[in-house]
Amino acid sequence: MNIILLGPPGAGKGTQASLLVEGRAMVQLSTGDMLRAAVAAGTEIGLKAKAVMAAGELVSDEIVDGILSARLDEDDVARGFILDGYPRTAVQAASLDRLLEQKGLKLDHVIELEVDEDALVDRITGRFTCASCNTPYHDRYKRPQAEGVCDVCGSADFKRRADDNEQAVRTRMAEYRAKTAPILPHYEAQGIVRRVDGMAAVGEVSAAIAGILDG
Ligand code: AP5
């Protein structure tokens, strides 16, 4: 089963993709994670992407299509993949169609997480993760049990994404509305779009997604 998770920043794409990786051994293909890894490693792509990402704008189609194409060549995608954060433009959607055809793969579902954008600003600007083991936390909803110490690994180092400030979040949302939401009709024409209430609790969202995958 190969799916796309679609939704604005903070809709829960990464959260739901991680649960599908744990529960179904599917492979998460997050272009955001791939780009952040390139930025952290200081590669040529990372150097080009760093300031664009921090401002909340989209990285060029050429760069993103290139990294996604290379990732789709890896053997593990045969387990079934979850595209998280790709495609984000009409050019990327057309590119994905070509890549899948070339590689003999097909999409089963495009799952759109429907959300209230104002609530998402709060979700995103409050989040932080353990710098050692990546356990996610939130300023208001999920603080470490002992202040300043990771519940899972005991580290005292935490990090926040460079683009998780209100200004960048508003830009990311505007980019979503202008460039990503308009690709939905492309998939609606194929009859593969399914919608889920992304404002429900995490477990309810994953149950709804499971219902689609098993239905
Ligand atoms: P990317 O990494 O894809 O980020 P995003 O789309 O902005 O999405 P997020 O990761 O912020 O949110 P999410 O939907 O995954 O939500 P999450 O599960 O984390 O992209 C970052 C940047 O990289 C882009 O701006 C761009 O520059 C570049 N980029 C990436 N792909 C690109 C592409 N294809 N083309 C061009 N540029 C690209 O959840 C958010 C928070 O909410 C968490 O704290 C979580 O715990 C909480 N939460 C989740 N679900 C719930 C729930 N149901 N109830 C309550 N809280 C919840």
Side-chain angles (χ1 to χ4, degrees), residues 4-207:
I4 295 176
L5 286 181
L6 205 67
K13 305 180 295 292
T15 302
Q16 294 302 326
S18 305
L19 293 170
L20 289 168
V21 169
E22 268 172 40
R24 296 179 185 245
M26 293 172 77
V27 178
Q28 178 181 7
L29 305 179
S30 160
T31 44
D33 287 349
M34 294 174 207
L35 289 165
R36 278 184 289 279
V39 170
T43 64
E44 197 183 331
I45 285 177
L47 292 175
K48 284 184 186 156
K50 187 174 180 179
V52 179
M53 292 175 75
E57 292 162 9
L58 293 183
V59 175
S60 77
D61 291 327
E62 192 192 358
I63 287 180
V64 181
D65 286 345
I67 57 174
L68 199 268
S69 173
R71 183 65 184 85
L72 282 175
D73 283 336
E74 292 179 34
D75 293 340
D76 60 351
V77 299
R79 299 208 304 257
F81 59 77
I82 310 140
L83 283 167
D84 159 12
Y86 183 95
R88 266 176 145 100
T89 65
V91 170
Q92 291 178 23
S95 183
L96 178 63
D97 285 349
R98 278 194 304 278
L99 285 172
L100 293 178
E101 195 179 339
Q102 280 164 16
K103 297 173 200 285
L105 298 165
K106 78 171 189 55
L107 283 175
D108 296 283
H109 302 289
V110 175
I111 300 177
E112 184 192 11
L113 299 173
E114 294 185 301
V115 285
D116 165 3
E117 284 193 9
D118 287 330
L120 297 190
V121 175
D122 179 56
R123 267 195 199 176
I124 297 176
T125 54
R127 77 177 163 184
F128 59 101
T129 52
C130 170
S132 297
C133 71
N134 280 324
T135 297
Y137 295 97
H138 195 281
D139 289 329
R140 283 170 295 284
Y141 312 127
K142 192 192 165 208
R143 298 200 63 83
Q145 283 165 14
E147 198 56 39
V149 182
C150 176
D151 297 346
V152 176
C153 74
S155 166
D157 280 338
F158 295 89
K159 61 182 179 185
R160 288 178 194 262
R161 271 170 51 173
D163 59 349
D164 276 354
N165 56 79
E166 179 154 0
Q167 191 180 356
V169 171
R170 296 276 179 205
T171 303
R172 284 155 64 194
M173 289 187 171
E175 291 279 71
Y176 181 83
R177 279 193 298 272
K179 297 174 184 163
T180 308
I183 68 177
L184 268 164
H186 176 71
Y187 296 109
E188 271 159 356
Q190 298 170 34
I192 57 172
V193 176
R194 305 294 303 274
R195 293 192 164 82
V196 166
D197 175 12
M199 298 314 293
V202 171
E204 287 171 39
V205 178
S206 37

